[in-house]
Amino acid sequence: MAVLLDNTSPYRPIESWIYDRVIAPAVLELVAPVDKLVLDILRNGAKILEVGCGGGHLAEHIAQRRSDVSLWGVDLSPEQIRHSEKRCRAWQSRLTFVQGTALDLKFPDGSFDAVISVASVKHWPDKIQGLRECVRVLSPKGVLNIVEADRGCHLDDARAFVDKWRIAGVFRSIALFWFRTYVAGQSIDLDEARTMLEALDLSEQRVERIPGTPGLLMFGQKEGSPAEQHL
């Protein structure tokens, strides 16, 4: 598959299908920090941007958790955008999906109360540029919440994650090798995450492993005066 050779390339239809049906439900196990640090504190009527929305699984989760927020999802793959629109049709009045790149978000400065991204950063050709774009479109006091596979994850956590994939048990050893080599193996580690976050204009920065998972969290809040705070 093309994404194995170049993880910055858009997902092709077969890759989108595999991710959507086999892997994405397990990825939702990583979203506890999104619930705690974003959805539980956002003001009523908040605007959220999801960068790398995939097939819309997280958008669906957010729509079900918060009936008052609006969400825009961006993904490089047109196939994933189609999956998102189909999956989230029931909430189309407040969920919008557009094809685009994290490196050049087509939104004005300060457009969103929160920017989130799950399992997408490793696919960005220029991770710092993508993160700077995420911060640019945040409003003052807006929060950035990034969840990504940890290249230094523990084997037991990786195995537990792969065990949740929708595949027959006989294939899980192969899937675990694939995940550690081509997913986590091409992702970032804690030190890289800290270095990237330190390059951004954010306060309250946090970088940490997500317990019991092969994921890591990058979190920060955009600078701004209290009078501008929306959260």
Side-chain angles (χ1 to χ4, degrees), residues 202-223:
L202 294 171
S203 60
E204 300 184 24
Q205 297 182 11
R206 293 171 56 180
V207 174
E208 58 197 40
R209 287 197 170 103
I210 303 172
T213 80
L216 61 80
L217 166 71
M218 301 169 63
F219 176 87
Q221 187 174 47
K222 190 171 182 178
E223 299 285 358

Side-chain angles (χ1 to χ4, degrees), residues 118-145:
V118 175
S120 180
V121 169
K122 62 182 172 293
H123 297 294
W124 301 354
D126 186 335
K127 298 175 180 59
I128 288 293
Q129 173 60 20
L131 290 170
R132 284 174 176 153
E133 276 290 277
C134 291
V135 173
R136 178 185 65 78
V137 300
L138 273 177
S139 62
K141 297 298 181 182
V143 294
L144 176 71
N145 190 297

